[in-house]
Amino acid sequence: MPRPTHDTSAILDAAGRILGADGLAKVTMAAVIREAGVPSGSLYYRFPDRPALLAALWNRAIESYHRDAYPLFDGDPVDAAVALATYTVRWCQAEPAHAHVLLAGRSRFDSADWPETARETEAAESARWNEAIRGLTRRLRAQTSVTTTELLLVVVDLPYAAVRRYLSGGKPIPADLGDVVAGIVRTSLR
Protein backbone atom coordinates (compact mmCIF):
# COMPACT_ATOMS: atom_id res chain seq x y z
CA MET A 1 0.00 0.00 0.00
CA PRO A 2 1.54 3.39 -0.95
CA ARG A 3 2.16 5.89 1.82
CA PRO A 4 0.02 9.01 1.92
CA THR A 5 1.77 12.12 0.67
CA HIS A 6 0.36 14.54 3.26
CA ASP A 7 2.82 15.86 5.83
CA THR A 8 2.37 14.73 9.45
CA SER A 9 3.53 18.15 10.66
CA ALA A 10 0.80 19.86 8.65
CA ILE A 11 -1.79 17.59 10.25
CA LEU A 12 -0.47 18.35 13.75
CA ASP A 13 -0.30 22.06 12.89
CA ALA A 14 -3.99 21.90 11.97
CA ALA A 15 -4.80 20.20 15.28
CA GLY A 16 -2.83 22.90 17.12
CA ARG A 17 -4.70 25.68 15.33
CA ILE A 18 -8.02 24.13 16.31
CA LEU A 19 -6.93 23.81 19.92
CA GLY A 20 -5.75 27.42 20.04
CA ALA A 21 -8.90 28.79 18.47
CA ASP A 22 -11.61 26.57 19.92
CA GLY A 23 -10.18 24.47 22.76
CA LEU A 24 -9.13 20.86 23.14
CA ALA A 25 -12.64 19.42 22.97
CA LYS A 26 -12.92 20.67 19.38
CA VAL A 27 -9.81 18.75 18.29
CA THR A 28 -11.67 15.87 16.66
CA MET A 29 -10.58 13.68 13.80
CA ALA A 30 -13.22 15.24 11.54
CA ALA A 31 -12.19 18.79 12.48
CA VAL A 32 -8.52 18.03 11.81
CA ILE A 33 -9.37 16.49 8.43
CA ARG A 34 -11.25 19.68 7.49
CA GLU A 35 -8.61 22.06 8.86
CA ALA A 36 -5.67 20.22 7.33
CA GLY A 37 -7.46 19.60 4.05
CA VAL A 38 -6.41 15.96 3.99
CA PRO A 39 -8.33 12.83 3.11
CA SER A 40 -9.51 10.84 6.11
CA GLY A 41 -7.29 7.92 5.12
CA SER A 42 -4.23 10.14 5.34
CA LEU A 43 -5.07 11.13 8.91
CA TYR A 44 -6.05 7.65 10.04
CA TYR A 45 -2.92 6.17 8.44
CA ARG A 46 -0.82 8.20 10.89
CA PHE A 47 -3.18 8.33 13.85
CA PRO A 48 -5.62 5.45 14.25
CA ASP A 49 -7.72 7.40 16.75
CA ARG A 50 -8.02 10.68 18.65
CA PRO A 51 -5.83 9.55 21.59
CA ALA A 52 -2.97 8.79 19.18
CA LEU A 53 -3.42 12.22 17.57
CA LEU A 54 -3.48 13.98 20.95
CA ALA A 55 -0.40 12.06 22.09
CA ALA A 56 1.52 13.15 19.01
CA LEU A 57 0.34 16.74 19.46
CA TRP A 58 1.45 16.80 23.11
CA ASN A 59 4.79 15.07 22.57
CA ARG A 60 5.66 17.32 19.62
CA ALA A 61 4.93 20.47 21.66
CA ILE A 62 7.01 19.23 24.59
CA GLU A 63 9.89 18.31 22.29
CA SER A 64 9.74 21.75 20.68
CA TYR A 65 9.84 23.52 24.05
CA HIS A 66 12.47 21.33 25.69
CA ARG A 67 14.89 21.02 22.76
CA ASP A 68 16.33 24.54 23.12
CA ALA A 69 15.65 24.87 26.85
CA TYR A 70 18.04 22.19 28.12
CA PRO A 71 21.24 24.11 27.29
CA LEU A 72 19.93 27.02 29.39
CA PHE A 73 20.32 25.01 32.62
CA ASP A 74 24.12 25.23 32.46
CA GLY A 75 26.23 27.89 34.15
CA ASP A 76 25.36 30.20 36.99
CA PRO A 77 22.00 29.09 38.44
CA VAL A 78 20.49 32.60 38.68
CA ASP A 79 21.48 33.34 35.09
CA ALA A 80 20.06 29.94 34.10
CA ALA A 81 16.76 30.65 35.86
CA VAL A 82 16.46 34.06 34.19
CA ALA A 83 17.34 32.57 30.81
CA LEU A 84 14.78 29.79 31.22
CA ALA A 85 12.01 32.19 32.20
CA THR A 86 12.82 34.50 29.30
CA TYR A 87 13.04 31.57 26.91
CA THR A 88 9.61 30.33 27.99
CA VAL A 89 7.97 33.65 27.11
CA ARG A 90 9.84 34.00 23.83
CA TRP A 91 9.10 30.41 22.85
CA CYS A 92 5.39 31.03 23.47
CA GLN A 93 5.60 34.14 21.27
CA ALA A 94 7.27 32.17 18.48
CA GLU A 95 5.25 28.95 18.87
CA PRO A 96 1.70 29.93 19.91
CA ALA A 97 0.10 26.69 18.69
CA HIS A 98 2.57 24.62 20.73
CA ALA A 99 2.14 27.00 23.66
CA HIS A 100 -1.63 26.41 23.62
CA VAL A 101 -0.96 22.68 23.85
CA LEU A 102 1.24 23.05 26.92
CA LEU A 103 -1.06 25.56 28.58
CA ALA A 104 -3.98 23.17 28.17
CA GLY A 105 -2.09 20.72 30.39
CA ARG A 106 -1.26 17.07 29.87
CA SER A 107 -4.05 15.85 32.13
CA ARG A 108 -6.60 17.13 29.61
CA PHE A 109 -5.02 15.05 26.82
CA ASP A 110 -6.38 11.71 28.14
CA SER A 111 -2.90 10.20 28.28
CA ALA A 112 -4.20 6.94 29.77
CA ASP A 113 -5.67 6.19 26.32
CA TRP A 114 -2.47 7.00 24.39
CA PRO A 115 -0.57 4.30 22.53
CA GLU A 116 2.05 2.67 24.75
CA THR A 117 5.00 4.10 22.80
CA ALA A 118 3.60 7.63 23.15
CA ARG A 119 3.16 7.16 26.91
CA GLU A 120 6.72 5.87 27.18
CA THR A 121 8.06 8.83 25.18
CA GLU A 122 6.17 11.28 27.38
CA ALA A 123 7.25 9.57 30.61
CA ALA A 124 10.93 9.54 29.61
CA GLU A 125 10.88 13.20 28.60
CA SER A 126 8.98 14.22 31.75
CA ALA A 127 11.54 12.41 33.91
CA ARG A 128 14.42 14.11 32.08
CA TRP A 129 12.79 17.55 32.40
CA ASN A 130 11.88 17.08 36.06
CA GLU A 131 15.46 16.09 36.85
CA ALA A 132 16.75 19.22 35.10
CA ILE A 133 14.33 21.40 37.09
CA ARG A 134 15.26 19.64 40.36
CA GLY A 135 18.96 20.17 39.62
CA LEU A 136 18.44 23.86 38.89
CA THR A 137 16.33 24.22 42.02
CA ARG A 138 19.02 22.59 44.19
CA ARG A 139 21.68 24.91 42.76
CA LEU A 140 19.47 27.96 43.21
CA ARG A 141 18.66 27.07 46.82
CA ALA A 142 22.34 26.67 47.61
CA GLN A 143 23.16 30.06 46.11
CA THR A 144 20.11 32.10 47.14
CA SER A 145 18.49 30.35 50.14
CA VAL A 146 15.11 30.91 48.43
CA THR A 147 12.61 28.15 49.19
CA THR A 148 11.78 25.50 46.61
CA THR A 149 8.16 26.65 46.54
CA GLU A 150 9.17 30.22 45.71
CA LEU A 151 11.73 29.07 43.14
CA LEU A 152 9.18 26.97 41.26
CA LEU A 153 6.66 29.79 41.39
CA VAL A 154 9.10 32.36 40.03
CA VAL A 155 11.08 30.27 37.54
CA VAL A 156 8.46 27.82 36.24
CA ASP A 157 4.98 29.18 36.95
CA LEU A 158 5.49 32.93 36.41
CA PRO A 159 6.43 32.74 32.71
CA TYR A 160 3.38 30.58 31.93
CA ALA A 161 1.11 32.86 33.93
CA ALA A 162 2.51 35.88 32.11
CA VAL A 163 1.66 34.50 28.66
CA ARG A 164 -1.62 32.79 29.59
CA ARG A 165 -3.68 35.99 29.60
CA TYR A 166 -2.61 36.79 26.04
CA LEU A 167 -2.86 33.29 24.61
CA SER A 168 -6.23 32.58 26.20
CA GLY A 169 -7.52 35.96 25.03
CA GLY A 170 -6.29 35.47 21.48
CA LYS A 171 -4.03 38.51 21.81
CA PRO A 172 -0.39 38.83 20.81
CA ILE A 173 2.14 38.48 23.59
CA PRO A 174 3.82 41.87 24.12
CA ALA A 175 7.32 42.06 22.68
CA ASP A 176 8.80 43.20 26.01
CA LEU A 177 7.13 40.55 28.18
CA GLY A 178 10.23 38.33 28.17
CA ASP A 179 12.32 41.19 29.53
CA VAL A 180 9.70 42.03 32.17
CA VAL A 181 9.57 38.41 33.34
CA ALA A 182 13.38 38.23 33.37
CA GLY A 183 13.52 41.31 35.62
CA ILE A 184 11.01 39.87 38.06
CA VAL A 185 12.86 36.54 38.22
CA ARG A 186 16.24 38.21 38.75
CA THR A 187 14.82 40.49 41.47
CA SER A 188 13.13 37.56 43.22
CA LEU A 189 16.36 35.57 43.31
CA ARG A 190 18.53 38.30 44.83
Side-chain angles (χ1 to χ4, degrees), residues 69-172:
Y70 282 119
L72 303 175
F73 286 87
D74 297 333
D76 176 78
V78 172
D79 291 343
V82 171
L84 182 62
T86 305
Y87 168 78
T88 299
V89 173
R90 296 213 169 110
W91 178 84
C92 289
Q93 289 169 319
E95 299 287 343
H98 286 355
H100 279 289
V101 170
L102 298 190
L103 289 173
R106 187 181 64 81
S107 64
R108 297 197 47 228
F109 278 73
D110 301 324
S111 60
D113 297 329
W114 290 3
E116 183 64 26
T117 56
R119 284 196 313 269
E120 290 170 358
T121 297
E122 189 280 329
E125 184 53 33
S126 286
R128 180 180 179 212
W129 182 256
N130 290 338
E131 184 55 37
I133 292 291
R134 279 192 294 274
L136 178 59
T137 301
R138 281 191 297 271
R139 291 171 43 224
L140 282 166
R141 285 193 66 211
Q143 184 171 326
T144 67
S145 299
V146 175
T147 68
T148 300
T149 302
E150 186 176 353
L151 289 171
L152 292 174
L153 174 67
V154 171
V155 177
V156 177
D157 299 336
L158 172 64
Y160 286 117
V163 298
R164 181 180 301 275
R165 75 169 40 246
Y166 301 101
L167 290 172
S168 63
K171 298 175 183 159

Side-chain angles (χ1 to χ4, degrees), residues 33-46:
I33 289 166
R34 281 191 305 276
E35 179 70 23
V38 298
S40 61
S42 189
L43 177 67
Y44 284 100
Y45 178 83
R46 288 166 179 79

